């Protein structure tokens, strides 16, 4: 699937990832092409985000994030995970229309 196929709520996950790190935004956007539908995409990125949340310093070091990104990274990743979980709890028909 393509990011253009994501509902408003699901696409917001990519935007929230960008608030944590431009690298994470790019990763999640690119990951979309590996999934057949939105729920599979959300479950896949949720697993990835949970892994990052368990060891944020590994991600920070791997991507050599700036000091500004590093300061707010962990709470923003937590907010991203919470949003993905919330999105998965909402029926697909109620998540909004694809933005494009």
């Amino acid at each position: 699937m393509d990011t253009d196929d994501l509902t408003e709520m699901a696409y917001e996950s990519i935007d929230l990832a960008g608030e944590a790190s431009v690298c994470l935004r790019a990763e999640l956007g690119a990951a979309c092409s590996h999934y057949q539908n939105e729920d599979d995409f959300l479950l896949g990125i949720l697993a990835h985000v949970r892994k990052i949340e368990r060891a944020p310093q590994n991600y920070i070091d791997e991507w050599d994030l700036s000091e500004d990104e590093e300061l707010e990274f962990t709470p923003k990743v937590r907010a991203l995970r919470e949003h993905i979980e919330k999105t998965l709890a909402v029926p697909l028909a109620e998540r909004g229309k694809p933005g494009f």
Side-chain angles (χ1 to χ4, degrees):
M1 81 180 293
D2 188 83
T3 56
D4 291 349
D5 301 321
L6 295 174
T7 62
E8 292 172 27
M9 279 187 81
Y11 194 89
E12 189 177 343
S13 298
I14 295 172
D15 289 338
L16 289 170
E19 291 180 17
S21 160
V22 295
C23 299
L24 187 55
R25 177 185 176 86
E27 279 187 297
L28 299 193
C32 197
S33 66
H34 299 285
Y35 298 96
Q36 295 294 317
N37 62 60
E38 182 167 297
D39 281 348
D40 288 345
F41 166 71
L42 290 169
L43 289 169
I45 66 170
L46 179 59
H48 184 60
V49 169
R50 283 180 174 158
K51 181 180 174 185
I52 293 168
E53 192 175 22
R54 282 192 301 272
Q57 195 60 48
N58 291 346
Y59 191 88
I60 289 166
D61 292 344
E62 178 182 347
W63 289 101
D64 195 25
L65 300 184
S66 71
E67 288 183 25
D68 290 340
E69 286 177 307
E70 189 174 344
L71 289 174
E72 293 294 320
F73 185 75
T74 301
K76 289 181 178 181
V77 169
R78 182 176 37 257
L80 170 60
R81 178 193 40 83
E82 290 170 351
H83 177 76
I84 296 167
E85 291 171 341
K86 178 178 138 186
T87 302
L88 281 164
V90 173
L92 182 63
E94 297 175 20
R95 294 179 192 164
K97 296 185 180 194
F100 298 96

